[in-house]
Amino acid sequence: MGKPRTALRTTTTGAVSAALLAGTALGFAPAAAATGTDTVMTGGIRFVDITGDGGTVLKANVVTPADSDGTRRYPVIVLPTSWSMPQVEYLAQARKLADSGYVVVSYNSRGFWQSGGHIEVAGPADVADASKVIDWALAHTPADPQRVGMAGVSYGAGISLLAAAHDKRVRAVVAMSGWADLIDSIYSGRTQHLQAAAMLGGTGYLTGRPSPELQQTLKDFLASNLDKEEEMIAWGAKRSPAFALDRINAGGAAIMLGNAWGDTIFPPNQYASFYEKLTGPKRLELRPGDHATAEATGLLGLPNDTWTNAHRWFDHHLKGADNGIDREQPVQLASRSAGGYEGYPDWKSVGATQRKIALADERKVYANVDSGANGGIVMLSNTLDQFLKLPPMASIPLLPRSFAAVWQSERYGSTQRVRGTAKLHTTVTSTASSGTLVAYLYDVGPLGVGKLVSNAPYTFHGQTPGRPFTVDLELFSTAYDVPAGHRLALVVDTVDPLYIEHNPSGARLTFSSPSSDPSYVSVPLREE
């Protein structure tokens, strides 16, 4: 009778979580103040108050193994909630973990929903909160202080990585759809990622209480206040695990990172770069999808590759299980256009072969007009790509050449398996001192319809009008198979709804390819 009851508990928990997560998405936020300390028992789940940093009350839930009788200790997993999500976010996974022998404590990050305090964006108070929750778990549950793990999606991922840098009790981390470098995530190419920042800011106001510092930072960021640029970068660095890399490596925690190729909040490049610099046990998984969509079904208790491997990671590093995860290739990639996974020994082995497409001949474009090439809509376009294989598209022959510079490769006689990070190198001359360009790489079929392979923005300031300057831009990493008979096209324009552009009215950009420094786009290909 034990297994049916376990299945029923998991299914019920998933249903409750689904209902409450749906409420979050629709904006039904509960009251933000709750200071009681009563504990409620519901279906084996304890809802508790935990005192965080500075006395802030954190709303939490606890699930313990069914056979817990006070005679033994269990590994413990701490789960900080994602941005704007309620404390029930992880209940389905918490139940699964508890059924396999873990104590699980999930808590609502400060400033959101019924937890106290203000939204600090993974600031020092959030990191201190994580340690306070570990303290509480060790004092009030049968948690083993030698076997502490942390995990989370998005915001919870970032907090978990930062906690590993500051609390050596954290021995294993699974960080899903998170960030390593906050600056390189929403300000890559010195360009504000408008839709990403607006969505985070809007949902933060809807479900929580942004701190005065966050409110001012958002205002300066969205207003393109360059006088505050250094201050904003310092603010982001303080909240970026990449800037705490030495401490993370010194702590030696086993780190598993998971992300989606099309993550429009935290693009995969910054995770891959961070992964390469980790020196302890590590694993990197990249799949099709957008922000947190690769893990979403697992939050409802449904089968999910990311969560399955998260459990395996904890089982090996906190329980010592010989489940083979340590013998697998540590970099696991799933192509956006083909099924299955590919393993690599490290990130630099991904796309080890480079094919250059020459960007010959001069191209001139007028700024401030959307050519029709764009990166899609945050959280929507790459989700359609994940489930329906429908990335953003454009008719390459019909793109207006006055507003879009276009170069195309020859037709390929065999499948081109793009893997990793394409890089643009070109020379630009602007009629203005500031400006923005956006580069797109398309898979172009026989009818001229281009499917977006990758893109990235680039903004410049302080250039001398009329004087050429070099641009080196990394496009967002991806895994995409270009069919035989197709070609690749590089398109560059100046406007994309995803980003804030900095082109003065009437500005014009010229792209050239000097003989002494030819322009090209370098496309990484899988070694056959």
Coordinates of all heavy atoms in Angstrom, one line a residue, residues 321-406:
A321 N 25.8 7.8 -3.8 CA 25.2 6.8 -4.6 C 26.1 6.7 -5.9 O 26.5 7.6 -6.5 CB 23.8 7.2 -5.0
D322 N 26.4 5.4 -6.2 CA 27.1 5.1 -7.5 C 26.1 5.0 -8.6 O 25.8 3.9 -9.1 CB 27.9 3.8 -7.3 CG 28.8 3.5 -8.5 OD1 29.0 4.4 -9.3 OD2 29.4 2.4 -8.5
N323 N 25.6 6.1 -9.1 CA 24.6 6.1 -10.1 C 25.2 6.5 -11.5 O 24.4 6.6 -12.5 CB 23.5 7.1 -9.8 CG 23.9 8.5 -9.5 OD1 25.0 8.9 -9.9 ND2 23.1 9.3 -8.8
G324 N 26.5 6.7 -11.6 CA 27.1 6.9 -12.9 C 27.1 8.3 -13.4 O 27.8 8.6 -14.4
I325 N 26.5 9.2 -12.7 CA 26.5 10.6 -13.2 C 27.9 11.2 -13.2 O 28.2 12.1 -14.1 CB 25.6 11.5 -12.3 CG1 25.2 12.7 -13.1 CG2 26.1 11.8 -11.0 CD1 24.1 13.5 -12.5
D326 N 28.8 10.7 -12.4 CA 30.2 11.2 -12.4 C 31.0 10.7 -13.5 O 32.1 11.2 -13.8 CB 30.8 10.9 -11.0 CG 30.9 9.4 -10.7 OD1 29.8 8.8 -11.0 OD2 31.9 8.9 -10.3
R327 N 30.5 9.6 -14.2 CA 31.3 9.0 -15.3 C 30.7 9.5 -16.6 O 31.3 9.1 -17.7 CB 31.2 7.5 -15.2 CG 31.9 7.0 -13.9 CD 32.0 5.5 -13.9 NE 30.7 4.8 -13.8 CZ 30.1 4.6 -12.6 NH1 30.7 5.0 -11.5 NH2 28.9 4.0 -12.6
E328 N 29.7 10.2 -16.6 CA 29.1 10.7 -17.9 C 29.9 12.0 -18.3 O 30.6 12.6 -17.5 CB 27.7 11.1 -17.7 CG 26.8 9.9 -17.4 CD 25.3 10.4 -17.0 OE1 25.1 11.6 -17.0 OE2 24.5 9.5 -16.8
Q329 N 29.9 12.3 -19.6 CA 30.5 13.5 -20.1 C 29.8 14.7 -19.4 O 28.6 14.8 -19.3 CB 30.3 13.7 -21.6 CG 31.0 12.6 -22.4 CD 32.4 13.0 -22.7 OE1 33.2 13.5 -21.8 NE2 32.9 12.7 -23.9
P330 N 30.6 15.6 -18.8 CA 30.0 16.6 -17.9 C 29.2 17.7 -18.6 O 28.4 18.4 -18.0 CB 31.2 17.2 -17.2 CG 32.4 16.9 -18.1 CD 32.1 15.6 -18.8
V331 N 29.4 17.9 -19.9 CA 28.7 18.9 -20.7 C 27.7 18.1 -21.5 O 28.1 17.3 -22.4 CB 29.6 19.7 -21.5 CG1 28.7 20.7 -22.4 CG2 30.5 20.5 -20.7
Q332 N 26.4 18.3 -21.3 CA 25.3 17.6 -22.0 C 24.4 18.6 -22.7 O 23.9 19.5 -22.1 CB 24.5 16.8 -21.0 CG 25.2 15.6 -20.3 CD 25.4 14.5 -21.2 OE1 24.5 14.1 -22.1 NE2 26.6 13.8 -21.2
L333 N 24.4 18.5 -24.0 CA 23.6 19.4 -24.9 C 22.5 18.7 -25.6 O 22.7 17.6 -26.1 CB 24.5 20.1 -25.9 CG 25.9 20.7 -25.4 CD1 26.6 21.3 -26.5 CD2 25.6 21.7 -24.3
A334 N 21.4 19.3 -25.8 CA 20.3 18.8 -26.6 C 20.1 19.9 -27.7 O 19.9 21.1 -27.5 CB 19.0 18.6 -25.9
S335 N 20.1 19.4 -29.0 CA 20.0 20.3 -30.1 C 18.5 20.8 -30.2 O 17.6 20.1 -29.8 CB 20.3 19.6 -31.4 OG 19.9 20.4 -32.5
R336 N 18.3 22.1 -30.6 CA 17.0 22.6 -30.8 C 16.2 21.9 -31.9 O 15.0 22.0 -32.0 CB 17.1 24.1 -31.1 CG 17.5 24.9 -29.9 CD 18.0 26.3 -30.4 NE 17.0 26.9 -31.3 CZ 17.3 27.9 -32.1 NH1 18.5 28.4 -32.2 NH2 16.4 28.4 -32.9
S337 N 16.9 21.3 -32.9 CA 16.3 20.8 -34.0 C 16.4 19.3 -34.2 O 15.9 18.7 -35.1 CB 16.8 21.4 -35.3 OG 18.2 21.5 -35.3
A338 N 17.1 18.6 -33.2 CA 17.2 17.2 -33.2 C 17.0 16.6 -31.8 O 17.2 17.3 -30.8 CB 18.6 16.8 -33.8
G339 N 16.6 15.4 -31.7 CA 16.4 14.8 -30.4 C 17.6 14.2 -29.8 O 18.7 14.1 -30.4
G340 N 17.5 13.9 -28.5 CA 18.6 13.2 -27.8 C 19.7 14.2 -27.3 O 19.6 15.4 -27.6
Y341 N 20.6 13.7 -26.6 CA 21.7 14.5 -25.9 C 23.0 14.1 -26.5 O 23.3 13.0 -26.9 CB 21.7 14.3 -24.4 CG 20.5 14.9 -23.7 CD1 19.3 14.1 -23.6 CD2 20.5 16.2 -23.3 CE1 18.2 14.7 -23.0 CE2 19.4 16.7 -22.7 CZ 18.2 16.0 -22.5 OH 17.1 16.6 -21.9
E342 N 23.9 15.1 -26.5 CA 25.3 14.9 -26.9 C 26.2 15.3 -25.7 O 26.0 16.3 -25.0 CB 25.7 15.9 -28.1 CG 24.8 15.7 -29.3 CD 24.9 16.9 -30.2 OE1 25.7 17.8 -29.9 OE2 24.2 16.9 -31.3
G343 N 27.2 14.4 -25.5 CA 28.1 14.7 -24.4 C 29.5 15.2 -24.8 O 30.0 14.8 -25.9
Y344 N 30.0 16.1 -24.0 CA 31.3 16.7 -24.3 C 32.2 16.8 -23.0 O 31.6 16.9 -22.0 CB 31.2 18.1 -24.9 CG 30.4 18.2 -26.2 CD1 29.0 18.3 -26.2 CD2 31.1 18.2 -27.4 CE1 28.3 18.4 -27.4 CE2 30.4 18.3 -28.6 CZ 29.0 18.4 -28.6 OH 28.3 18.5 -29.8
P345 N 33.5 16.6 -23.2 CA 34.3 16.7 -22.0 C 34.4 18.1 -21.3 O 34.6 18.2 -20.1 CB 35.7 16.2 -22.4 CG 35.7 16.6 -23.9 CD 34.3 16.4 -24.4
D346 N 34.2 19.1 -22.1 CA 34.2 20.5 -21.6 C 33.6 21.4 -22.6 O 33.2 21.0 -23.7 CB 35.7 20.9 -21.3 CG 36.6 20.6 -22.4 OD1 36.2 20.8 -23.6 OD2 37.8 20.2 -22.2
W347 N 33.4 22.7 -22.2 CA 32.7 23.6 -23.1 C 33.5 23.9 -24.3 O 33.0 24.1 -25.4 CB 32.3 24.9 -22.3 CG 31.7 25.9 -23.2 CD1 32.2 27.1 -23.6 CD2 30.4 25.9 -23.8 NE1 31.3 27.8 -24.4 CE2 30.2 27.0 -24.5 CE3 29.3 24.9 -23.7 CZ2 29.0 27.3 -25.2 CZ3 28.2 25.2 -24.4 CH2 28.0 26.3 -25.1
K348 N 34.8 24.0 -24.2 CA 35.7 24.4 -25.3 C 35.6 23.3 -26.4 O 36.0 23.6 -27.6 CB 37.1 24.7 -24.9 CG 37.9 23.6 -24.4 CD 39.3 24.1 -24.0 CE 40.2 22.9 -23.4 NZ 39.7 22.7 -22.0
S349 N 35.2 22.1 -26.1 CA 35.1 21.1 -27.1 C 33.8 21.2 -27.9 O 33.7 20.5 -28.9 CB 35.2 19.7 -26.4 OG 36.4 19.5 -25.7
V350 N 32.9 22.0 -27.4 CA 31.7 22.2 -28.1 C 31.9 23.1 -29.3 O 32.5 24.2 -29.1 CB 30.6 22.8 -27.2 CG1 29.3 23.2 -28.0 CG2 30.3 21.9 -26.1
G351 N 31.6 22.8 -30.5 CA 31.8 23.6 -31.7 C 33.3 23.8 -31.9 O 33.8 24.9 -32.2
A352 N 34.1 22.7 -31.8 CA 35.5 22.8 -31.9 C 36.0 23.2 -33.3 O 37.0 23.8 -33.5 CB 36.2 21.5 -31.6
T353 N 35.1 23.0 -34.3 CA 35.4 23.4 -35.7 C 34.8 24.7 -36.0 O 33.6 24.9 -35.7 CB 34.9 22.3 -36.7 OG1 35.5 21.1 -36.4 CG2 35.2 22.8 -38.1
Q354 N 35.5 25.7 -36.5 CA 35.0 27.0 -36.8 C 35.0 27.2 -38.3 O 35.9 26.9 -39.1 CB 35.9 28.1 -36.2 CG 36.0 28.0 -34.7 CD 34.8 28.5 -34.0 OE1 34.1 29.4 -34.4 NE2 34.4 27.8 -32.9
R355 N 33.8 27.6 -38.8 CA 33.7 27.9 -40.3 C 33.4 29.4 -40.4 O 32.4 29.9 -39.8 CB 32.6 27.1 -40.9 CG 32.3 27.6 -42.3 CD 31.3 26.6 -43.1 NE 32.0 25.3 -43.3 CZ 31.5 24.4 -44.1 NH1 30.4 24.6 -44.7 NH2 32.2 23.2 -44.2
K356 N 34.2 30.1 -41.1 CA 34.1 31.6 -41.3 C 33.3 31.9 -42.5 O 33.5 31.3 -43.6 CB 35.4 32.3 -41.3 CG 36.1 32.3 -40.0 CD 37.4 33.2 -40.1 CE 38.1 33.3 -38.7 NZ 39.3 34.1 -38.8
I357 N 32.3 32.8 -42.4 CA 31.6 33.3 -43.5 C 32.1 34.8 -43.7 O 32.0 35.6 -42.8 CB 30.1 33.3 -43.3 CG1 29.6 31.9 -43.0 CG2 29.3 34.0 -44.4 CD1 28.1 31.9 -42.6
A358 N 32.7 35.0 -44.9 CA 33.2 36.4 -45.1 C 32.1 37.4 -45.3 O 31.1 37.1 -46.0 CB 34.1 36.3 -46.4
L359 N 32.3 38.5 -44.7 CA 31.3 39.6 -44.8 C 31.9 40.7 -45.8 O 32.3 41.8 -45.3 CB 31.0 40.2 -43.5 CG 30.5 39.2 -42.4 CD1 30.2 39.9 -41.1 CD2 29.3 38.4 -42.9
A360 N 32.1 40.3 -47.0 CA 32.7 41.2 -48.0 C 31.7 42.3 -48.5 O 30.5 42.2 -48.3 CB 33.2 40.3 -49.2
D361 N 32.3 43.3 -49.1 CA 31.5 44.4 -49.6 C 30.9 45.2 -48.5 O 30.6 44.8 -47.4 CB 30.4 43.9 -50.6 CG 30.9 43.1 -51.7 OD1 32.0 43.3 -52.2 OD2 30.2 42.1 -52.1
E362 N 30.8 46.5 -48.8 CA 30.3 47.5 -47.9 C 28.8 47.5 -47.8 O 28.1 47.3 -48.8 CB 30.8 48.9 -48.2 CG 30.5 50.0 -47.2 CD 31.2 51.3 -47.7 OE1 30.5 52.0 -48.4 OE2 32.3 51.5 -47.3
R363 N 28.3 47.7 -46.6 CA 26.8 47.8 -46.4 C 26.5 49.0 -45.6 O 27.2 49.2 -44.6 CB 26.3 46.5 -45.7 CG 26.5 45.2 -46.3 CD 25.6 44.9 -47.5 NE 25.6 43.5 -47.9 CZ 26.5 43.0 -48.7 NH1 27.5 43.8 -49.2 NH2 26.4 41.7 -49.1
K364 N 25.5 49.8 -46.0 CA 25.1 51.0 -45.3 C 23.6 50.8 -44.9 O 22.8 50.4 -45.7 CB 25.3 52.2 -46.1 CG 26.7 52.5 -46.4 CD 26.9 53.8 -47.2 CE 28.3 54.1 -47.6 NZ 28.5 55.4 -48.3
V365 N 23.3 51.1 -43.6 CA 21.9 51.0 -43.2 C 21.6 52.3 -42.4 O 22.4 52.9 -41.7 CB 21.7 49.8 -42.3 CG1 22.0 48.5 -43.0 CG2 22.5 49.8 -41.0
Y366 N 20.3 52.7 -42.5 CA 19.8 53.8 -41.7 C 19.2 53.2 -40.4 O 18.6 52.1 -40.4 CB 18.7 54.5 -42.5 CG 19.2 55.3 -43.7 CD1 19.2 54.7 -44.9 CD2 19.7 56.6 -43.5 CE1 19.7 55.5 -46.0 CE2 20.2 57.3 -44.6 CZ 20.2 56.8 -45.8 OH 20.7 57.5 -46.9
A367 N 19.4 53.9 -39.3 CA 19.0 53.5 -38.0 C 17.6 53.9 -37.7 O 16.9 54.6 -38.5 CB 19.9 54.1 -36.9
N368 N 17.1 53.3 -36.6 CA 15.8 53.7 -36.0 C 14.6 53.1 -36.7 O 13.4 53.4 -36.4 CB 15.6 55.2 -36.0 CG 16.6 55.9 -35.2 OD1 17.0 55.4 -34.1 ND2 17.2 57.0 -35.7
V369 N 14.8 52.1 -37.6 CA 13.7 51.4 -38.3 C 13.9 49.9 -38.1 O 14.9 49.4 -38.5 CB 13.6 51.8 -39.8 CG1 12.5 51.0 -40.5 CG2 13.3 53.3 -40.0
D370 N 12.8 49.3 -37.6 CA 12.9 47.8 -37.5 C 12.7 47.2 -38.9 O 11.7 47.3 -39.6 CB 11.7 47.3 -36.6 CG 11.8 45.9 -36.2 OD1 12.6 45.1 -36.9 OD2 11.2 45.5 -35.2
S371 N 13.7 46.4 -39.3 CA 13.8 45.9 -40.6 C 12.8 44.7 -40.8 O 12.5 44.2 -41.9 CB 15.2 45.4 -41.0 OG 15.5 44.3 -40.2
G372 N 12.4 44.1 -39.7 CA 11.6 42.9 -39.7 C 12.4 41.7 -39.2 O 11.8 40.7 -38.8
A373 N 13.7 41.8 -39.0 CA 14.5 40.8 -38.3 C 14.4 41.2 -36.9 O 14.7 42.3 -36.5 CB 15.9 40.9 -38.9
N374 N 14.1 40.2 -36.0 CA 14.1 40.4 -34.6 C 14.2 39.1 -33.8 O 14.0 38.1 -34.4 CB 12.9 41.3 -34.1 CG 11.6 40.6 -34.3 OD1 11.3 39.6 -33.6 ND2 10.8 41.1 -35.2
G375 N 14.5 39.2 -32.5 CA 14.7 38.1 -31.7 C 13.5 37.5 -31.1 O 13.5 36.6 -30.3
G376 N 12.3 38.1 -31.4 CA 11.0 37.5 -30.9 C 10.5 38.2 -29.7 O 10.9 39.4 -29.4
I377 N 9.7 37.5 -28.9 CA 9.1 38.1 -27.7 C 9.6 37.3 -26.5 O 9.6 36.0 -26.5 CB 7.6 38.0 -27.8 CG1 7.1 38.8 -29.0 CG2 6.9 38.5 -26.5 CD1 5.6 38.6 -29.3
V378 N 9.9 38.0 -25.4 CA 10.4 37.3 -24.2 C 9.5 36.3 -23.7 O 8.2 36.5 -23.7 CB 10.8 38.4 -23.1 CG1 9.5 39.0 -22.6 CG2 11.5 37.7 -22.0
M379 N 9.9 35.1 -23.4 CA 9.2 34.0 -22.8 C 8.2 33.3 -23.7 O 7.6 32.3 -23.4 CB 8.4 34.5 -21.5 CG 9.3 34.8 -20.4 SD 10.3 33.5 -19.8 CE 9.1 32.3 -19.3
L380 N 8.0 33.9 -24.9 CA 7.0 33.3 -25.9 C 7.7 32.6 -27.1 O 7.5 31.4 -27.4 CB 6.1 34.3 -26.4 CG 5.1 33.9 -27.4 CD1 4.2 32.7 -26.9 CD2 4.2 35.0 -27.9
S381 N 8.5 33.4 -27.8 CA 9.1 32.9 -29.1 C 9.9 31.6 -28.9 O 9.8 30.7 -29.7 CB 9.9 34.0 -29.7 OG 9.1 35.1 -30.0
N382 N 10.8 31.6 -27.9 CA 11.7 30.4 -27.7 C 10.9 29.3 -27.1 O 11.4 28.1 -27.2 CB 12.9 30.8 -26.9 CG 13.8 31.7 -27.7 OD1 14.0 31.5 -28.9 ND2 14.3 32.8 -27.1
T383 N 9.8 29.5 -26.4 CA 9.0 28.4 -26.0 C 8.3 27.7 -27.1 O 8.2 26.5 -27.2 CB 7.9 28.9 -25.0 OG1 8.6 29.6 -23.9 CG2 7.1 27.8 -24.4
L384 N 7.8 28.5 -28.1 CA 7.3 28.0 -29.3 C 8.4 27.2 -30.1 O 8.1 26.1 -30.7 CB 6.8 29.1 -30.3 CG 5.5 29.8 -29.7 CD1 5.2 31.0 -30.7 CD2 4.3 28.9 -29.6
D385 N 9.6 27.6 -30.1 CA 10.7 26.9 -30.7 C 10.9 25.6 -29.9 O 11.1 24.5 -30.6 CB 12.0 27.7 -30.6 CG 13.1 27.1 -31.3 OD1 12.9 26.3 -32.3 OD2 14.3 27.2 -30.9
Q386 N 10.8 25.6 -28.6 CA 11.0 24.4 -27.8 C 10.0 23.3 -28.1 O 10.3 22.1 -28.3 CB 10.9 24.7 -26.3 CG 11.0 23.5 -25.4 CD 10.9 24.0 -23.9 OE1 10.7 25.1 -23.6 NE2 10.9 23.0 -23.0
F387 N 8.7 23.7 -28.2 CA 7.7 22.7 -28.3 C 7.2 22.5 -29.7 O 6.7 21.4 -30.1 CB 6.5 23.1 -27.4 CG 6.8 23.0 -25.9 CD1 7.0 24.2 -25.2 CD2 6.9 21.8 -25.3 CE1 7.3 24.1 -23.8 CE2 7.3 21.7 -24.0 CZ 7.4 22.9 -23.2
L388 N 7.3 23.5 -30.6 CA 6.7 23.4 -31.9 C 7.8 23.5 -33.0 O 7.4 23.5 -34.2 CB 5.6 24.4 -32.1 CG 4.4 24.3 -31.2 CD1 3.4 25.5 -31.4 CD2 3.7 23.0 -31.3
K389 N 9.0 23.7 -32.6 CA 10.1 24.0 -33.6 C 9.8 25.2 -34.5 O 10.0 25.2 -35.7 CB 10.3 22.8 -34.5 CG 10.8 21.5 -33.7 CD 12.1 21.7 -33.1 CE 12.6 20.4 -32.5 NZ 11.9 20.0 -31.2
L390 N 9.2 26.3 -33.9 CA 8.9 27.5 -34.6 C 9.6 28.7 -34.0 O 9.1 29.4 -33.2 CB 7.4 27.7 -34.5 CG 6.5 26.8 -35.3 CD1 5.0 27.1 -35.0 CD2 6.7 26.9 -36.8
P391 N 10.9 28.9 -34.3 CA 11.6 30.0 -33.9 C 11.2 31.3 -34.6 O 10.4 31.2 -35.6 CB 13.1 29.7 -34.2 CG 12.9 28.8 -35.5 CD 11.7 28.0 -35.3
P392 N 11.6 32.5 -34.2 CA 11.3 33.7 -34.9 C 11.8 33.5 -36.4 O 12.9 33.0 -36.6 CB 12.1 34.8 -34.2 CG 12.2 34.2 -32.8 CD 12.3 32.7 -32.9
M393 N 11.0 34.0 -37.3 CA 11.3 33.9 -38.7 C 11.3 35.2 -39.4 O 10.7 36.2 -39.0 CB 10.3 32.9 -39.4 CG 10.3 31.5 -38.8 SD 9.2 30.5 -39.8 CE 9.1 29.0 -38.7
A394 N 12.0 35.3 -40.6 CA 12.0 36.5 -41.4 C 12.2 36.0 -42.9 O 12.9 35.0 -43.1 CB 13.0 37.4 -41.0
S395 N 11.6 36.7 -43.8 CA 11.9 36.5 -45.2 C 13.1 37.3 -45.6 O 13.1 38.5 -45.7 CB 10.7 36.9 -46.1 OG 11.0 36.8 -47.5
I396 N 14.2 36.6 -45.8 CA 15.5 37.2 -46.0 C 15.5 38.0 -47.3 O 16.0 39.2 -47.3 CB 16.7 36.2 -45.9 CG1 16.6 35.4 -44.6 CG2 18.0 36.9 -46.1 CD1 16.7 36.3 -43.4
P397 N 15.0 37.5 -48.4 CA 15.0 38.4 -49.6 C 14.2 39.7 -49.5 O 14.5 40.6 -50.2 CB 14.4 37.4 -50.7 CG 14.6 36.1 -50.2 CD 14.5 36.2 -48.7
L398 N 13.2 39.6 -48.6 CA 12.3 40.8 -48.5 C 12.7 41.8 -47.4 O 12.1 42.9 -47.3 CB 10.9 40.4 -48.2 CG 10.2 39.5 -49.2 CD1 8.7 39.2 -48.8 CD2 10.2 40.2 -50.6
L399 N 13.8 41.5 -46.7 CA 14.3 42.5 -45.7 C 14.8 43.7 -46.5 O 15.6 43.7 -47.4 CB 15.4 41.9 -44.9 CG 15.1 40.8 -43.9 CD1 16.3 40.2 -43.3 CD2 14.1 41.3 -42.9
P400 N 14.3 44.9 -46.1 CA 14.7 46.2 -46.8 C 16.2 46.5 -46.5 O 16.6 46.7 -45.4 CB 13.8 47.2 -46.1 CG 13.4 46.7 -44.8 CD 13.4 45.2 -45.0
R401 N 16.9 46.5 -47.6 CA 18.4 46.7 -47.5 C 18.8 48.0 -47.0 O 19.9 48.3 -46.6 CB 19.1 46.4 -48.8 CG 19.3 44.9 -49.2 CD 18.8 43.8 -48.4 NE 19.2 42.5 -48.8 CZ 18.5 41.4 -48.7 NH1 17.3 41.5 -48.1 NH2 18.9 40.2 -49.1
S402 N 17.9 49.0 -47.0 CA 18.2 50.3 -46.5 C 18.3 50.3 -44.9 O 18.9 51.1 -44.3 CB 17.1 51.3 -46.9 OG 17.1 51.5 -48.3
F403 N 17.7 49.2 -44.3 CA 17.6 49.2 -42.9 C 18.2 47.9 -42.3 O 18.3 47.7 -41.1 CB 16.2 49.3 -42.4 CG 15.4 50.5 -43.0 CD1 14.4 50.3 -43.8 CD2 15.9 51.8 -42.6 CE1 13.7 51.4 -44.4 CE2 15.2 52.9 -43.2 CZ 14.1 52.7 -44.0
A404 N 18.6 47.0 -43.2 CA 19.2 45.7 -42.8 C 20.4 45.3 -43.7 O 20.2 45.3 -44.9 CB 18.2 44.6 -42.8
A405 N 21.6 45.1 -43.1 CA 22.7 44.6 -43.8 C 22.6 43.1 -43.9 O 22.4 42.5 -42.8 CB 24.0 45.1 -43.2
V406 N 22.8 42.5 -45.1 CA 22.6 41.1 -45.2 C 23.8 40.4 -46.0 O 24.2 41.0 -47.0 CB 21.3 40.8 -46.0 CG1 21.1 39.2 -46.1 CG2 20.1 41.4 -45.3

